[in-house]
């Protein structure tokens, strides 16, 4: 999630356990501690552009690291905030740890993938229940923690926690509906998906991107789950086949290892860009949920030295009409490419 959301939820949980006179201090400690795990973005290398992909949402987000992360935050923040507010160190540690604990779990509710079980597993948990940015989740939590601090009302912080949990539960329900729509659509096409996932589109849990994999291709469509089921058909792209798409790639080269690392990060939802030779894309993400228009990619170079890394690029250029198209999907209105209902869902 975005830093503001992480801080807001990080503040809510310790505030909910605090006494009236401690609500403000608990909120400050929890807010800062709730953002702290994302300091792992500083782990990066100019020589290895994929290093940050391996370490972001890794050990700092793991469940076993929560007591350690809370302690590190308390060692810094108790002297700056807790002690000045009259708290003992262990009380500061409790508030920091509660704030820190919310971070990894909230990130796992998004689609990016979080290594909750590090170092015992390298599985990236992505429960796909909420977008990276979602104002309907964040703004009520933020408003409640601010009023809780100003009025010294821990009950309002508890309401913020309840709102967050309820919204995530609603997102899980909507995800399941989106997956059911995707399965119906695949069956209508005569496809038997190897796997199928639904991911919330930008800033909402109403319109979802459905990605399913067949033996040879990835298929991408958008679905609107409520109040009536609507499907916005997308397109498909062949799965990455290195022998076919990158026949010149030396399997023993660093570039080949980087492709494997990028595939792990992307949960194997990778394909060769049909427009740019040597570019490998992550098909899971796009601004419009019915498009294959990757937000990031790696670029390989034929004839590169055996130890040379790939380059990494982010693609955030918005095309004209994309925001309007997403808004029409949210309203359940047809697009120029067509729209139809799936009955009974």
């Amino acid at each position: 999630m975005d830093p503001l959301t992480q801080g807001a939820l990080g503040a809510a949980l310790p505030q909910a356990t605090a006494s009236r006179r401690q609500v403000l201090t608990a909120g400050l400690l929890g807010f800062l501690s709730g953002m702290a795990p994302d300091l792992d973005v500083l782990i990066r290398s100019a020589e290895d552009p994929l290093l940050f992909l391996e370490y972001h949402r890794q050990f700092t987000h793991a469940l076993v690291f929560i007591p350690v992360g809370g302690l590190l935050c308390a060692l810094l923040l108790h002297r700056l905030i807790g002690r000045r507010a009259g708290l003992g160190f262990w009380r500061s540690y409790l508030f920091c740890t509660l704030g820190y604990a919310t971070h990894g779990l909230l990130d796992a509710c998004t689609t990016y993938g979080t290594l909750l079980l590090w170092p015992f597993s390298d599985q990236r948990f992505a429960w796909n229940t909420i977008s990276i940015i979602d104002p309907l989740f964040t703004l009520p939590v933020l408003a409640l923690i601010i009023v809780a601090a100003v009025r010294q009302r821990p009950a309002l912080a508890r309401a913020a926690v309840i709102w967050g949990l309820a919204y995530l539960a609603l997102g899980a329900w909507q995800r399941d509906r989106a997956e059911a729509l995707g399965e119906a659509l695949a069956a209508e096409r005569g496809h038997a998906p190897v796997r199928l996932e639904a991911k919330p589109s930008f800033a909402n849990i109403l319109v979802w991107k459905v990605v399913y994999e067949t033996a040879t291709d990835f298929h991408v469509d958008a679905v609107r789950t409520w109040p009536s089921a609507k499907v916005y058909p997308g397109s498909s792209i062949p799965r990455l086949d290195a022998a076919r798409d990158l026949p010149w790639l030396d399997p023993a080269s660093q570039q080949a290892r980087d492709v494997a690392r990028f595939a792990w990060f992307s949960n194997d939802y990778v394909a060769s860009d049909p427009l740019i030779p040597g570019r490998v894309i992550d098909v899971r993400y796009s601004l419009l949920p019915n498009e294959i228009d990757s937000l990031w990619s790696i670029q390989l170079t034929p004839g590169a030295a055996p130890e040379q890394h790939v380059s990494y690029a982010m693609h955030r250029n918005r095309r004209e009409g994309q925001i309007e198209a997403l808004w029409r999907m949210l309203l359940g209105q047809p697009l120029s490419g067509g729209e139809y209902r799936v009955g009974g869902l």
Side-chain angles (χ1 to χ4, degrees), residues 204-234:
N204 75 95
I205 55 172
L206 183 60
V207 176
W208 296 72
K209 180 171 186 171
V210 173
V211 183
Y212 69 86
E213 178 184 358
T214 61
T216 58
D217 300 293
F218 295 115
H219 297 260
V220 171
D221 303 279
V223 299
R224 180 176 181 263
T225 54
W226 185 87
S228 59
K230 297 182 183 294
V231 173
Y232 296 88

Side-chain angles (χ1 to χ4, degrees), residues 12-321:
L13 188 57
Q15 278 187 334
T17 67
S19 65
R20 290 178 62 93
R21 67 179 184 85
Q22 295 174 341
V23 172
L24 175 60
T25 306
L28 290 174
L29 293 173
F31 188 90
L32 295 173
S33 299
M35 294 189 295
D38 275 346
L39 290 173
D40 60 8
V41 298
L42 300 176
I43 304 175
R44 55 182 62 232
S45 166
E47 292 75 28
D48 180 2
L50 299 187
L51 185 68
F52 84 99
L53 291 182
E54 293 184 342
Y55 282 96
H56 183 40
R57 298 200 182 185
Q58 198 219 43
F59 71 95
T60 61
H61 291 58
L63 296 177
V64 298
F65 196 77
I66 289 173
V68 179
L71 178 61
L72 293 175
C73 291
L75 289 173
L76 174 64
L77 298 176
H78 175 66
R79 183 168 295 185
L80 295 175
I81 299 173
R83 188 168 65 182
R84 295 182 180 183
L87 298 185
F89 176 79
W90 293 110
R91 194 66 176 172
S92 292
Y93 173 63
L94 173 63
F95 291 151
C96 288
T97 302
L98 289 174
Y100 194 98
T102 63
H103 189 113
L105 292 170
L106 183 56
D107 271 349
C109 292
T110 68
T111 65
Y112 191 86
T114 305
L115 276 69
L116 291 178
L117 299 183
W118 178 94
F120 310 108
S121 170
D122 65 354
Q123 178 181 353
R124 300 182 68 88
F125 288 88
W127 296 323
N128 301 334
T129 58
I130 191 171
S131 174
I132 296 292
I133 298 174
D134 192 329
L136 287 179
F137 178 88
T138 304
L139 294 180
V141 173
L142 185 63
L144 285 167
I145 65 166
I146 291 174
V147 177
V150 171
R151 297 189 177 181
Q152 297 183 334
R153 295 278 301 277
L156 294 176
R158 290 192 283 272
V161 174
I162 292 170
W163 169 256
L165 293 174
Y167 194 88
L168 294 173
L170 178 61
W173 178 65
Q174 292 282 70
R175 178 204 60 208
D176 291 346
R177 286 174 56 85
E179 289 179 353
L181 285 167
E183 289 167 358
L185 180 60
E188 183 177 296
R189 292 170 175 167
H191 295 159
V194 176
R195 55 178 173 161
L196 181 149
E197 294 184 7
K199 304 175 183 298
S201 62
F202 180 70
N204 75 95
I205 55 172
L206 183 60
V207 176
W208 296 72
K209 180 171 186 171
V210 173
V211 183
Y212 69 86
E213 178 184 358
T214 61
T216 58
D217 300 293
F218 295 115
H219 297 260
V220 171
D221 303 279
V223 299
R224 180 176 181 263
T225 54
W226 185 87
S228 59
K230 297 182 183 294
V231 173
Y232 296 88
S235 56
S236 63
I237 190 171
R239 296 166 47 190
L240 179 67
D241 183 331
R244 179 196 65 209
D245 302 326
L246 306 167
W248 43 265
L249 182 63
D250 179 1
S253 67
Q254 181 60 55
Q255 288 196 119
R257 291 191 289 272
D258 286 348
V259 170
R261 295 164 72 197
F262 188 69
W264 166 79
F265 162 75
S266 304
N267 199 21
D268 286 325
Y269 283 100
V270 287
S272 178
D273 192 319
L275 301 179
I276 302 178
R279 174 179 285 182
V280 175
I281 62 173
D282 182 342
V283 303
R284 298 175 299 169
Y285 300 100
S286 57
L287 179 59
L288 275 184
N290 65 338
E291 289 186 344
I292 298 174
D293 186 18
S294 182
L295 297 181
W296 45 71
S297 66
I298 56 173
Q299 181 68 49
L300 286 77
T301 305
E307 68 280 2
Q308 181 176 324
H309 284 280
V310 301
S311 60
Y312 174 83
M314 301 188 72
H315 313 288
R316 299 290 175 88
N317 295 325
R318 192 175 74 233
R319 301 195 313 275
E320 184 178 355

